[in-house]
């Protein structure tokens, strides 16, 4: 799932690259493993050393443990083997961490037999991932708008605690996270928007990562009124324009412009300015709009046709900046997080 540019921290769309879990629970196996959980991983990034398979250090299982411990279950209730198959590139602005958080909450709900609704699961997600557009898109699917509620001071204090106090961590010892703060009710809200079946998503994925922390670190702490209004005007139009059939390229291209984050992230992504300024519906048949995908460095181009040509033009621009890329053609994943019991 990704943020569509003017919808920074507000609007996101789930796309058809998936994080899948196959979970095997063996209640009769007496074998002892840490926290009753073992992890196997395949997919994006598996050749690197960055995927930690220890259940008390892996983000996905740490989130599941947080959900379980909020319900007085201090470890996985039976020997649990989690097979992770991840098709979402890491550190590319395609929502890999948000997907892991949602998967962790769903995993905790299922193995603990907790019976949480999706709305309540959103509260747990927002205790870990503070950007509702990403997790809401992954949880509910499709194109969604989100906001965080105003909470009373006591609930706000629970929402704003450091993540180290929420997630169990080995550095804190065996008691870390045994009594974590339970999420307030209704931290965030979401609404689903229509998406035209004619619109496909071209994602151009550079061969380097940009961490979310680094991408947020270059942003200013304050914005002018003009820049804030610029984005508000565009996201107000874009949420309707993406649902129209046939799509209107003038509305969508203008609606995908941004003044809040893209101008500040150009120093992190070679070729970004040239790509955003030169790839337009007037010069590229079938193109509707273009923006940075999430925190980047991936580029999102929405189009109705001519997908390969548009992708190759953007890849060419990146190559001129000595950046290698790959690309995929995706559609909205409309179902969000789903569970199938075999």
């Amino acid at each position: 799932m990704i943020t569509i540019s003017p919808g920074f921290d507000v609007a996101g769309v789930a796309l058809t690259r998936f994080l899948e879990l196959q979970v095997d629970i063996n209640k009769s196996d007496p074998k002892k493993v840490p926290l009753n959980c073992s992890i196997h991983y395949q997919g994006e990034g598996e050749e690197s050393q960055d995927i930690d398979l220890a259940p008390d250090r892996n983000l996905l299982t740490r989130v599941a443990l947080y959900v379980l411990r909020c319900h007085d279950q201090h470890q996985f209730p039976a020997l649990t083997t989690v097979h992770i198959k991840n098709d979402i590139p890491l550190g590319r602005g395609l929502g890999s961490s948000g997907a892991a958080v949602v998967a962790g909450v769903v995993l905790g709900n299922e193995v603990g037999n907790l019976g949480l609704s999706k709305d309540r699961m959103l509260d747990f997600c927002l205790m870990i991932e503070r950007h509702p557009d990403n997790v809401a898109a992954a949880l509910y699917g499709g194109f969604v708008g989100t906001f965080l509620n105003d909470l009373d001071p006591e609930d706000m204090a629970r929402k704003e605690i450091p993540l180290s106090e929420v997630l169990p961590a080995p550095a804190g010892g065996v008691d870390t996270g045994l009594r974590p703060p339970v999420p307030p009710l209704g931290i965030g809200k979401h609404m689903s928007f229509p998406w035209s079946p004619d619109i496909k998503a071209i994602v151009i994925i550079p061969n380097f990562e940009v961490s979310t922390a680094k991408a947020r670190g270059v942003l200013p702490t304050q914005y002018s009124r003009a820049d804030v209004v610029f984005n508000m005007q565009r996201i107000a139009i874009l949420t309707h324009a993406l649902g129209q059939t046939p799509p209107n390229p003038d509305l969508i291209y203008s609606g995908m412009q941004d003044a809040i984050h893209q101008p500040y992230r150009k120093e992190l992504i070679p070729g970004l300015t040239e790509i955003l300024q030169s790839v337009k519906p007037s010069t590229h048949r079938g193109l509707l709009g273009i923006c940075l995908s999430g925190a980047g460095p991936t580029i999102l181009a929405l189009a109705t046709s001519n997908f390969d040509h548009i992708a190759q033009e953007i890849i060419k621009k990146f190559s001129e900046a000595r950046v290698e890329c790959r690309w995929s053609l995706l559609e909205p994943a409309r179902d969000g997080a789903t569970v199938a019991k075999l």
Side-chain angles (χ1 to χ4, degrees), residues 227-242:
D227 284 347
V228 173
V229 171
F230 181 97
N231 271 45
M232 291 175 63
Q233 290 172 334
R234 279 149 184 80
I235 196 62
I237 297 298
L238 187 62
T239 51
H240 181 70
L242 291 175

Side-chain angles (χ1 to χ4, degrees), residues 1 6 35 46 73 106 113-114 137 142 184 207 228 230 280 297 326:
M1 66 286 182
L35 299 167
E46 67 178 303
Q73 299 182 42
V106 174
N113 292 311
L114 304 179
N207 67 346
V228 173
F230 181 97
K280 303 177 180 180
R326 52 188 163 128

Side-chain angles (χ1 to χ4, degrees), residues 24-224:
D24 299 318
I25 299 174
N26 192 335
K27 296 181 179 180
S28 61
D29 193 333
K31 182 169 58 177
K32 296 294 184 182
V33 297
L35 299 167
N36 272 347
C37 180
S38 63
I39 305 171
H40 302 274
Y41 183 91
Q42 70 177 100
E44 292 282 344
E46 67 178 303
E47 70 287 346
S48 75
Q49 303 299 313
D50 298 331
I51 308 296
D52 199 322
L53 301 184
D56 57 352
R57 293 193 296 267
N58 182 274
L59 174 61
L60 195 155
T61 47
R62 288 174 71 197
V63 171
L65 283 166
Y66 166 59
V67 175
L68 290 169
R69 290 177 178 186
C70 283
H71 294 85
D72 296 320
Q73 299 182 42
H74 294 159
Q75 60 182 358
F76 286 80
L79 182 60
T80 303
T81 304
V82 182
H83 303 269
I84 302 172
K85 181 180 179 182
N86 178 34
D87 193 37
I88 305 173
L90 308 177
R92 302 299 205 280
L94 287 166
S96 58
S97 62
V101 168
V102 171
V105 171
V106 174
L107 175 62
N109 181 55
E110 290 299 318
V111 300
N113 292 311
L114 304 179
L116 302 176
S117 67
K118 278 197 171 182
D119 287 349
R120 186 56 177 151
M121 284 194 276
L122 180 62
D123 291 332
F124 280 91
C125 291
L126 291 174
M127 289 293 282
I128 313 300
E129 169 66 71
R130 307 298 169 87
H131 312 300
D133 51 332
N134 277 345
V135 292
L139 184 62
Y140 296 102
F143 180 32
V144 300
T146 62
F147 64 82
L148 297 176
N149 280 321
D150 289 329
L151 302 174
D152 63 45
E154 181 179 351
D155 283 345
M156 183 61 73
R158 280 193 286 161
K159 184 179 78 71
E160 295 300 332
I161 60 173
L163 293 184
S164 60
E165 296 182 27
V166 174
L167 293 175
V174 294
D175 292 332
T176 302
L178 287 183
R179 291 186 176 275
V182 177
L185 289 170
I187 296 176
K189 297 292 185 184
H190 88 288
M191 173 172 282
S192 295
F193 299 124
W195 183 282
S196 170
D198 292 350
I199 300 177
K200 305 294 187 287
I202 305 166
V203 291
I204 313 297
I205 308 167
N207 67 346
F208 66 93
E209 297 183 16
V210 174
S211 72
T212 301
K214 188 174 183 179
R216 286 187 175 266
V218 300
L219 301 182
T221 56
Q222 295 181 323
Y223 292 94
S224 69

Side-chain angles (χ1 to χ4, degrees), residues 250-273:
D250 291 334
L251 279 180
I252 293 174
Y253 180 79
S254 297
M256 289 177 67
Q257 304 302 303
D258 166 80
I260 296 297
H261 71 106
Q262 286 184 168
Y264 303 99
R265 288 171 167 165
K266 60 185 179 182
E267 64 190 68
L268 302 177
I269 304 166
L272 176 62
T273 300

